[in-house]
């Protein structure tokens, strides 16, 4: 049996190396803006082994940043693995990963509080089981586990009450049924449950969330496609880790809705995408946040070697069910970038990019002043990158 599998196996190894220089006039998004100039090095690799019904994969990467202001130096790395097994009507897969990074690289989209010299550690594990129980119907069960921890909490005196980052462990379970109406249209409905546990040196708390979602995808034409979904989430008020409610909490869950809408176009020389989503996710604040985001991307292939890209996004964060000791963490974040990519050989390309960021915090949140983060802060960054992509080595037996 092993010999039969080995005969049909295919190996593939690939990699990439990205080097760049970057200038940012306000990397920390603070009122006292300090310009920084730095060098970036990003190696990546992947290795895959596949047969007709078994697949194994391994990926890894690094992100090394060195700036003239040494407090923003950053060493990131990640390692991930995935495996799948295909049968006639069932498919089982499992993916997992581990990464370490300077927390300011992920707090841009999470809290907006960028603290130098603070490392985050992340684990994730995501098994998945699919069952094609009818020709047009499929059932999927997806349990997941994710953990994020921080080496330091930051200085609350300097950054305000929200700077005390809290580690979190999140367990979730998603059950989805999908029906294909025809070659263009499919629909899905799902049930969802998660539990998030937050902790730091001083306290611990937890929040449960459960809900449902309905959605579908439709291929309008060969070039245009649309997907949409909507549902509800019930979020429990924060409680201490022994499941007793905080002093200002009630046992009645808070209801919020979730939604997504995407419109995409893929042409011969032009790609376009518009996406809206409303989700509820755990945050380094130590509570669940409702995230509303709008994203737009556009790319145009000017010639075989030259391409233009534009991306823009708007994100609004709002806390759900904060406890007595937590401020209402509401934030608005904008970003927009544009650039040119010149592919001057099969494996090499050079790109130039401009990035604009803007963050808005209210002067007072939940009755507490956020002194150093109040108001609107802006950043302008310019980047020049040289990228090598190795298409890889394939071996079949």
């Amino acid at each position: 049996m092993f010999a039969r599998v080995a005969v049909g196996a295919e190996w593939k190894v690939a990699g990439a190396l990205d080097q760049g220089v970057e200038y940012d006039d306000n990397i920390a998004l603070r009122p006292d803006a300090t310009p920084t100039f730095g060098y970036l090095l990003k190696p990546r690799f992947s290795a895959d082994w596949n047969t007709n019904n078994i697949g194994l994969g391994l990926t890894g990467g690094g992100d090394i940043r060195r700036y003239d202001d040494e407090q923003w130096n950053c060493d990131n790395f990640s390692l991930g693995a995935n495996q799948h097994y295909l049968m006639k009507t069932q498919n089982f897969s499992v993916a997992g990963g581990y990464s370490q990074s300077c927390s300011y690289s992920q707090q841009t989209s999470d809290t907006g509080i960028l603290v130098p010299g603070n490392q985050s550690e992340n684990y994730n594990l995501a098994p998945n089981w699919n069952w094609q129980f009818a020709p047009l119907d499929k059932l999927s069960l997806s349990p997941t586990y994710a953990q994020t921890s921080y080496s330091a909490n930051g200085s609350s005196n300097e950054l305000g009450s929200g700077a005390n980052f809290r580690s979190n462990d999140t367990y979730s379970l998603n059950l989805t049924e999908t029906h294909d109406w025809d070659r263009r249209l499919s629909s899905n409905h799902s049930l969802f449950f998660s539990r998030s546990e937050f902790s730091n040196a001083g306290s611990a708390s937890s929040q449960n969330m459960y809900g449902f979602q309905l959605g579908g995808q439709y291929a309008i034409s060969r070039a245009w496609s649309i997907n949409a979904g909507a549902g509800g989430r019930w979020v429990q008020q924060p409680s201490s880790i022994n499941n007793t409610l905080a002093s200002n909490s009630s046992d009645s869950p808070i209801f919020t809705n979730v939604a997504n809408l995407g419109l995409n176009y893929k042409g011969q020389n032009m790609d376009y995408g518009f996406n809206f989503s409303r989700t509820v996710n755990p945050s380094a604040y130590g509570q669940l946040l409702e995230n509303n985001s709008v994203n737009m991307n556009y790319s145009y292939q000017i010639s075989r070697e030259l391409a233009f890209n534009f991306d823009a996004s708007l994100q609004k964060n709002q806390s759900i069910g904060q406890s007595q000791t937590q401020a209402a963490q509401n934030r608005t974040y904008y970003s927009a970038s544009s650039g040119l990519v010149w592919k001057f050989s099969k494996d090499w390309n050079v790109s130039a990019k401009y990035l604009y960021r803007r963050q808005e915090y209210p002067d007072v949140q939940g009755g507490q002043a956020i002194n150093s983060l109040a108001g609107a802060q802006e950043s302008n960054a310019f980047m020049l990158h040289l990228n090598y992509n190795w298409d890889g080595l394939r071996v079949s037996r």
Side-chain angles (χ1 to χ4, degrees):
M1 181 177 179
F2 177 81
R4 290 179 61 187
V5 171
V7 168
E10 180 185 72
W11 287 88
K12 180 182 178 182
V13 180
L17 181 64
D18 182 18
Q19 300 181 78
V21 291
E22 174 184 289
Y23 171 81
D24 196 320
D25 65 0
N26 189 6
I27 190 172
L29 289 173
R30 304 270 182 82
D32 51 339
T34 303
T36 56
F37 179 83
Y39 168 76
L40 291 76
L41 180 66
K42 299 180 180 180
R44 301 187 304 275
F45 80 91
S46 64
D48 297 281
W49 177 77
N50 291 283
T51 69
N52 291 334
N53 59 349
I54 299 176
L56 299 172
L58 183 67
T59 60
D63 183 352
I64 302 168
R65 309 179 188 185
R66 293 293 179 267
Y67 293 94
D68 54 356
D69 187 348
E70 294 184 359
Q71 68 173 334
W72 297 105
N73 289 350
C74 179
D75 294 318
N76 303 328
F77 75 88
S78 62
L79 187 65
N82 61 83
Q83 179 270 337
H84 70 263
Y85 179 66
L86 303 176
M87 294 181 286
K88 186 175 181 180
T89 60
Q90 298 183 62
N91 176 17
F92 175 78
S93 65
V94 59
Y98 171 79
S99 66
Q100 280 192 2
S101 65
C102 43
S103 67
Y104 75 80
S105 62
Q106 70 187 70
Q107 294 308 318
T108 301
S109 59
D110 185 4
T111 65
I113 302 173
L114 310 184
V115 181
N118 185 10
Q119 289 290 118
S120 67
E121 193 173 44
N122 302 276
Y123 298 87
N124 65 83
L125 182 64
N128 179 264
W129 172 69
N130 289 307
W131 176 33
Q132 192 81 40
F133 64 91
L136 300 176
D137 296 277
K138 182 172 67 177
L139 191 66
S140 175
L141 181 65
S142 304
T144 61
Y145 168 73
Q147 180 191 87
T148 301
S149 58
Y150 301 94
S151 62
N153 293 329
S155 170
S156 60
N157 293 329
E158 177 188 0
L159 297 171
S161 60
N164 294 316
F165 294 158
R166 291 171 176 247
S167 302
N168 67 78
D169 293 73
T170 298
Y171 310 83
S172 63
L173 182 65
N174 194 81
L175 179 64
T176 302
E177 196 273 336
T178 303
H179 179 75
D180 295 325
W181 297 93
D182 55 36
R183 295 180 62 181
R184 291 189 172 187
L185 178 64
S186 66
S187 62
N188 60 76
H189 49 275
S190 62
L191 299 174
F192 174 85
F193 172 80
S194 75
R195 176 179 174 84
S196 297
E197 298 178 352
F198 305 94
S199 62
N200 64 7
S203 62
S205 62
S206 67
Q207 278 186 283
N208 294 331
M209 177 172 61
Y210 54 92
F212 69 95
Q213 187 161 341
L214 306 175
Q217 298 92 28
Y218 179 65
I220 303 171
S221 65
R222 289 186 177 182
W224 288 94
S225 63
I226 188 172
N227 64 82
R233 293 285 189 269
W234 285 268
V235 181
Q236 180 192 29
Q237 298 270 13
S239 61
S240 66
I241 205 65
N242 61 3
N243 291 326
T244 59
L245 293 173
S247 59
N248 69 329
S249 300
S250 69
D251 56 1
S252 299
I254 300 171
F255 177 80
T256 184
N257 56 72
V258 294
N260 66 275
L261 175 65
L263 179 66
N264 295 279
Y265 172 82
K266 188 173 182 61
Q268 185 175 358
N269 296 318
M270 183 179 71
D271 293 347
Y272 169 79
F274 173 85
N275 294 275
F276 164 79
S277 69
R278 175 179 293 165
T279 60
V280 179
N281 298 306
S283 167
Y285 283 135
Q287 55 189 307
L288 295 176
L289 291 186
E290 179 184 272
N291 300 309
N292 295 274
S293 63
V294 178
N295 300 278
M296 189 194 77
N297 59 80
Y298 171 83
S299 65
Y300 181 73
Q301 195 72 32
I302 301 172
S303 66
R304 179 177 292 184
E305 297 83 15
L306 191 63
F308 170 78
N309 300 306
F310 175 79
D311 297 276
S313 67
L314 164 64
Q315 179 178 323
K316 293 181 71 69
N317 297 344
Q318 178 176 322
S319 58
I320 300 179
Q322 66 270 14
S323 68
Q324 186 176 10
T325 60
Q326 295 169 322
Q329 306 293 353
N330 302 328
R331 179 179 74 115
T332 303
Y333 176 73
Y334 309 85
S335 69
S337 66
S338 62
L340 289 171
V341 180
W342 176 37
K343 187 174 182 180
F344 58 89
S345 72
K346 178 184 177 182
D347 299 322
W348 292 88
N349 69 71
V350 62
S351 63
K353 180 181 177 181
Y354 165 72
L355 172 64
Y356 170 79
R357 297 181 297 155
R358 178 184 173 92
Q359 178 170 273
E360 297 178 359
Y361 264 103
D363 294 334
V364 176
Q365 299 192 103
Q368 300 184 40
I370 310 296
N371 297 323
S372 65
L373 298 176
Q377 314 302 333
E378 297 179 332
S379 162
N380 297 277
F382 301 89
M383 289 160 274
L384 182 65
H385 285 258
L386 177 65
N387 185 268
Y388 172 73
N389 288 289
W390 180 44
D391 191 37
L393 175 67
R394 294 175 182 265
V395 178
S396 299
R397 297 184 59 185

